[in-house]
Amino acid sequence: MALKAVGQLVCGAALGALVAGCSTQEQVRSASAPVAEAPAVAADTPEALLARMSLERKVAQIVQPDIGSITPEDVRQYRFGTILNGGNSGPFGNDKAPAADWLKLADAFWEASTAPLPDGEPVIPAIWATDAVHGHANVPGATVFPHNIALGATGDADLIRRIGAATAIEIEVTGLDWTFAPTVAVARDDRWGRTYESYSEDPALVTKLGAAMIEGLQGRPGEPGYLGPGKVAATAKHYFGDGGTSQGVDQGDVNGELADLMAIHAAPYPAAINAGVASVMASFNSINGTKMHGNKPLLTDELRGKLGFGGVVVGDWNGHGQIKGCTNSDCPQALLAGLDVYMVPEDWKALHATLVRQVKDGTIPMARLDEAVLRVLRMKQALGILDGEVKPSARPNGGKWALLGSPEHRALAREAVAKSQVILKNAGILPLKAGAKIEVAGAAADNVPQQAGGWSVTWQGGGDLTAKDFPGATSIFAGIAEAARAGGGEARLAPKGDAASKPDIAIVVFGEPPYAEFVGDRKDLAFRDEEGLALLKAYKARGVPTVAVFLSGRPLWVNRELNAADAFVAAWLPGSEGAGVADVLFGKAQPTGRLSFSWPATCDGAPLNGPEGALFPRGYGLGFAAPRIAQIPLDETCNALTQDASAAWFASGKLGARVQALADNALLPDLRGSGNGIVATGVDRRAQEDARRIAFGPGAKLSLTGPASGAAYRITYLVARRPAGPVTVTAGGKALDITQGLSVAEGKGWREMVLSAKCLGETGGKLTFASEAPFAFQIGEVTRDDSAASAECSF
């Protein structure tokens, strides 16, 4: 019987549980148990299956393509072992696909991978992995839990374990088997764009909460139900050092004595392994200059040897291609270093052919390939996949839509939101008094996509998402309005404030826009958006007490806002259940949240990692019983606010802070989307979707508008196929025909275009490209550059 079908652990069913015979005392080990356990005894064991597989199908088990680049027919032909969906990959090309489409595609992949093989080789089902980093949040209608930084503020391991269990059920409803979570990074520089994926800067807290999440997702090894119905395979990521890069640069370098680095950044992994984690994801970053995907001493000698991990080591998005001497389609170094599964979203066909050839010519020993394949098969065995499992829609929770975003799961998320709120300042106005007349202001107040943050329906979150993409969710304002009515008062939404009103109290909700990964990297910690500050000051001028509710994926320098507000709440990224914020504001729940990261006193961004230099140390948070007020006024000096950050118009996959992209006046957020003949899509240059492919329809125009500083433009670009008609660019002067330059660039990789006044006539704050015929090119960076003021234009 299938393990998932019966929910019982049987002798030999869990990964690593294959023992020399079965005793009456069943022996079960976890999914992290070493691969070299006792010999197999049955014909359908991973070892027996491996012995019957061809080289080509062995290689397919360790190649993981993205659903956006494969079809069920590809799965039928190649028999991939695992499949993923990237943050912007949804079923049938729709990243907002409804839940039913996820299950439909899961069934299609299952049926393709289990179709009979005419050559007698074993049929081995594929499994599907997703980034369910705060709930199954890629799927509209799922419960979106607070991001890890908020869960860290709860400090509640039992809560996190229950969240893991709820997330696993919702994943299984849509037919998936595996999640790339939890992140167990110890973030030490808040400028890092993934800080919100970290529970804390404290290794001990990350260790405790990471293990709890793994137990929630998988169950506990040796206990009934481990990896059974309602459970999925978990991933501890990213091994290791992702939270310790220099200046918080995503995918950057981590420097220092190895023992010191491991004491901080590898600290959560022994507990994750003891908790039975099925997989570990290799990190993008380097350790003292060596990329982790190719670091054999750390992937094999340390993780396998000293830490004893025997599960699957999976790569990150084309991470193997960043190893010196490698490309996305050619990298034996990664497998030889200890990687078991290549995450190769688009170049899977070429990589498959390369790996087959390299095993044949001896570059990769067959024994190493077999070892990797055996680990994949054993993870499938632990999930019950090799033991007669049925297609996803026929499993116990498959298609049970009432479980997706269920009232019970939403109540759990609301509990987590309330427990994560951290009061940084309270001049005696919290909890709010019953019967109060409240005005709620700020663009974020009634904005579910913003409160959810990144990794919510889409990879970056926000953008063109609306509340309709989060069915069943509750905005922060909606939660406040409900609580106010319940207490005999009222709450009115006034996003920009109402100068004519005089409420009893105003709640201003503001904060960071959504982002994910490197797109969220910062050079400092200054919070620059002054919408919230202006509202707080306006209410203060009218004598209205204020509560600031700050949404962010990290601590930021907000001294000005702290000075202006009477109470200040760090609400983090609460997810779909905004009512949890109101539960604390109105005193329905006690404010038990405590900072899991130090809060900066200055805006320069230097890592704090402790109480020295912190405005509020880790562990800080106010209760209602004895409200305290931070030293007022706080210093509002911030040199970063006066520095010109306008030179970069487009870099690292995002537009500059004051830059817009328009397709004949249709906005394209971060150069993404379509409008009036332009289609802008993300492409990989150095990292996932850090560049854009701009496709022009006949007569289409694309304009970038921004600060006019810098006398010339530098544009990094790539042309795959020369224009079929004239292409021009203008910056306020006459149009410059650049057709010839683009034609010369055809097929020559990434190049730099310099546009100065010598060819443009003017270099104002608007740059417009126009194409008379269909044409596409890629843009990596657009910057303004004073040093090129007198330069000749070049392509």
Side-chain angles (χ1 to χ4, degrees):
M1 296 181 68
L3 175 61
K4 272 185 170 281
V6 299
Q8 297 294 322
L9 281 174
V10 297
C11 187
L15 181 62
L18 298 174
V19 294
C22 291
S23 66
T24 54
Q25 179 67 37
E26 293 181 342
Q27 301 180 51
V28 179
R29 291 176 63 87
S30 78
S32 337
V35 76
E37 295 237 336
V41 294
D44 59 352
T45 63
E47 290 85 351
L49 295 172
L50 180 70
R52 296 165 52 202
M53 294 174 68
S54 66
L55 170 60
E56 288 75 14
R57 291 192 178 121
K58 287 180 181 179
V59 169
Q61 289 293 312
I62 68 168
V63 171
Q64 184 179 75
D66 183 84
I67 64 170
S69 68
I70 58 167
T71 65
E73 186 53 42
D74 292 324
V75 175
R76 181 186 296 268
Q77 178 182 349
Y78 283 86
R79 302 302 169 113
F80 298 114
T82 68
I83 300 162
L84 86 146
N85 61 277
N88 274 343
S89 298
F92 312 110
N94 179 12
D95 60 2
K96 299 180 183 179
D101 283 357
W102 289 76
L103 185 58
K104 180 180 178 181
L105 186 59
D107 273 354
F109 284 145
W110 174 270
E111 290 164 357
S113 67
T114 56
L117 288 167
D119 51 15
E121 280 199 61
V123 169
I124 300 172
I127 58 175
W128 182 346
T130 188
D131 285 279
V133 297
H134 64 142
H136 196 25
N138 287 314
V139 180
T143 309
V144 183
F145 291 95
H147 269 297
N148 283 359
I149 192 169
L151 299 184
T154 74
D156 188 336
D158 177 67
L159 173 69
I160 277 66
R161 194 175 290 108
R162 288 184 283 136
I163 289 172
T167 299
I169 288 172
E170 297 201 13
I171 292 171
E172 195 177 57
V173 166
T174 60
L176 279 61
D177 313 276
W178 182 9
T179 177
F180 296 138
T183 299
V184 291
V186 182
R188 287 302 182 94
D189 192 319
D190 298 343
R191 291 173 290 186
W192 185 36
R194 304 188 78 156
T195 296
Y196 65 74
E197 294 187 51
S198 172
Y199 293 110
S200 177
E201 67 189 28
D202 175 22
L205 184 56
V206 175
T207 297
K208 179 177 77 170
L209 300 186
M213 180 61 78
I214 291 164
E215 291 174 348
L217 289 165
Q218 297 189 161
R220 286 190 172 105
E223 294 185 1
Y226 174 69
L227 289 176
K231 299 299 179 183
V232 296
T235 307
K237 68 180 189 183
H238 309 83
Y239 181 83
F240 74 91
D242 46 351
T245 59
S246 177
Q247 299 182 58
V249 174
D250 192 47
Q251 305 184 24
D253 199 16
V254 184
N255 300 291
E257 292 294 328
L258 184 59
D260 295 337
L261 297 177
M262 293 198 70
I264 297 171
H265 299 290
Y269 286 90
I273 293 168
N274 288 338
V277 71
S279 63
V280 167
M281 183 177 286
S283 189
F284 276 124
N285 62 265
S286 305
I287 301 289
N288 294 321
T290 300
K291 281 288 182 180
M292 184 59 74
H293 278 66
N295 197 324
K296 185 175 182 179
L298 294 179
L299 284 183
T300 297
D301 300 345
E302 189 68 37
L303 180 61
R304 298 291 190 195
K306 293 183 181 179
L307 298 184
F309 178 63
V312 171
V313 174
V314 60
D316 209 338
W317 188 280
N318 285 330
H320 59 278
Q322 297 185 16
I323 300 170
K324 186 177 181 180
C326 284
T327 65
N328 293 345
S329 58
D330 185 355
C331 191
Q333 294 95 313
L335 188 63
L336 295 173
L339 200 73
D340 296 315
V341 172
Y342 290 83
M343 187 186 292
V344 55
E346 297 171 341
D347 298 308
W348 50 268
K349 185 177 291 186
L351 179 65
H352 182 274
T354 302
L355 289 170
V356 168
R357 184 176 68 251
Q358 288 165 345
V359 176
K360 286 180 176 179
D361 68 19
T363 302
I364 297 173
M366 180 64 80
R368 174 65 193 105
L369 173 63
D370 285 352
E371 181 181 51
V373 175
L374 189 57
R375 289 183 179 128
V376 174
L377 297 180
R378 286 193 166 183
M379 182 166 74
K380 293 180 180 184
Q381 183 190 43
L383 286 164
I385 297 298
L386 301 185
D387 198 22
E389 180 62 278
V390 294
K391 66 181 180 179
S393 62
R395 296 173 190 171
N397 291 319
K400 290 188 176 179
W401 307 121
L403 295 174
L404 191 73
S406 69
E408 294 79 10
H409 293 172
R410 292 190 181 279
L412 175 60
R414 181 171 177 171
E415 176 188 348
V417 174
K419 288 182 174 179
S420 70
Q421 304 298 291
V422 180
I423 299 178
L424 299 181
K425 176 183 177 182
N426 184 14
I429 62 172
L430 292 178
L432 300 175
K433 293 180 174 59
K437 180 181 177 182
I438 302 168
E439 190 165 286
V440 184
D446 197 30
N447 191 328
V448 173
Q450 185 167 352
Q451 72 189 45
W455 290 109
S456 301
V457 181
T458 62
W459 178 38
Q460 294 295 322
D464 63 349
L465 296 176
T466 69
K468 292 181 180 179
D469 298 308
F470 297 83
T474 302
S475 72
I476 292 172
F477 166 70
I480 291 171
E482 179 186 13
R485 285 193 299 270
E490 64 174 348
R492 185 173 72 92
L493 181 65
K496 296 182 180 180
D498 184 350
S501 69
K502 188 68 183 294
D504 297 324
I505 197 160
I507 301 173
V508 180
V509 187
F510 63 101
E512 289 190 290
Y515 55 82
E517 299 193 46
F518 58 88
V519 176
D521 285 359
R522 303 174 59 107
K523 295 186 182 300
D524 56 61
L525 293 179
F527 181 67
R528 289 178 169 79
D529 187 339
E530 296 187 351
E531 177 219 18
L533 179 62
L535 287 167
L536 291 168
K537 286 183 174 180
Y539 284 117
K540 187 173 184 177
R542 300 206 304 274
V544 177
T546 56
V547 178
V549 175
F550 185 52
L551 302 178
S552 73
R554 55 192 145 203
L556 289 169
W557 183 85
V558 286
N559 284 14
R560 298 179 298 173
E561 291 83 357
L562 280 161
N563 282 339
D566 295 295
F568 192 104
V569 179
W572 313 112
L573 299 171
S576 61
E577 307 313 305
V581 177
D583 288 342
V584 171
L585 297 181
F586 286 83
K588 181 178 179 181
Q590 288 296 310
T592 57
R594 299 295 180 262
L595 293 178
S596 59
F597 286 84
S598 307
W599 198 278
T602 62
C603 69
D604 57 12
L608 298 174
N609 303 332
E612 292 185 12
L615 180 63
F616 305 114
R618 179 169 50 83
Y620 179 87
L622 301 179
F624 292 144
R628 291 170 286 162
I629 305 173
Q631 183 178 349
I632 300 295
L634 299 172
D635 184 5
E636 296 189 5
T637 303
C638 176
N639 292 332
L641 293 177
T642 63
Q643 295 171 357
D644 186 5
S646 62
W649 274 29
F650 179 77
S652 298
K654 63 180 178 180
L655 292 168
R658 291 181 284 164
V659 181
Q660 288 186 329
L662 303 101
D664 286 346
N665 296 320
L667 280 173
L668 302 180
D670 276 333
L671 266 184
R672 187 188 298 279
S674 59
N676 299 335
I678 294 290
V679 178
T681 53
V683 293
D684 299 352
R685 182 187 173 208
R686 296 193 180 103
Q688 184 180 356
E689 297 194 12
D690 62 341
R692 295 289 181 268
R693 182 181 185 270
I694 312 297
F696 294 80
K701 294 181 180 180
L702 172 70
S703 296
L704 298 177
T705 63
S709 60
Y713 293 93
R714 288 188 183 274
I715 302 171
T716 306
Y717 73 105
L718 179 149
V719 176
R721 181 174 298 179
R722 68 182 57 205
V727 179
T728 61
V729 62
T730 181
K734 64 179 182 179
L736 173 68
D737 191 321
I738 60 174
T739 312
Q740 180 61 29
L742 296 176
S743 297
V744 171
E746 180 185 24
K748 294 180 179 174
W750 288 97
R751 296 164 66 87
E752 185 177 77
M753 180 189 306
V754 177
L755 301 173
S756 68
K758 286 197 171 184
C759 61
L760 290 177
E762 297 181 27
T763 57
K766 184 175 182 179
L767 188 69
T768 300
F769 292 91
S771 179
E772 292 187 12
F775 169 64
F777 74 139
Q778 295 180 24
I779 294 177
E781 294 177 350
V782 179
T783 59
R784 301 296 301 259
D785 185 1
D786 273 326
S787 68
S790 59
E792 297 291 336
C793 296
S794 62
F795 299 91

